[in-house]
Amino acid sequence: MTGIGPFERAREYFLRDDNYYGCAESAFLALKDAYGLAPAGDSSPAMALNGGVAYSGGMCGAISGTALAVGMLAEQRLGDH
């Protein structure tokens, strides 16, 4: 998966043959990869956001998964949070 952008990476996660990652996890992991956020392979904070919050059909999990990653990035860059 090296050398590709976050959109392509999220697509790869989401379209895995084993359907392991949902929409929120795919976006979350792709952005964590892109920005070097640790722990790299841990998608657990986004699991409940898949399918629009627990598959309830709300806001797409890809948006909320992205928000989680942006929050992690902000915490990393804004030391006085």
Side-chain angles (χ1 to χ4, degrees):
M1 284 196 227
T2 315
I4 62 173
F7 294 115
E8 292 84 7
R9 187 161 312 221
R11 181 180 168 88
E12 283 186 359
Y13 281 125
F14 188 72
L15 295 177
R16 283 175 43 148
D17 289 336
D18 60 3
N19 289 332
Y20 191 78
Y21 297 111
C23 50
E25 293 171 286
S26 297
F28 185 54
L29 286 175
L31 290 172
K32 284 176 59 176
D33 289 344
Y35 290 104
L37 301 170
D42 182 13
S43 67
S44 60
M47 288 175 70
L49 301 173
N50 290 326
V53 182
Y55 297 97
S56 68
M59 179 178 58
C60 179
I63 295 170
S64 49
T66 298
L68 285 176
V70 169
M72 290 180 71
L73 183 61
E75 173 67 24
Q76 186 182 66
R77 293 186 177 183
L78 303 171
D80 62 350
H81 178 259

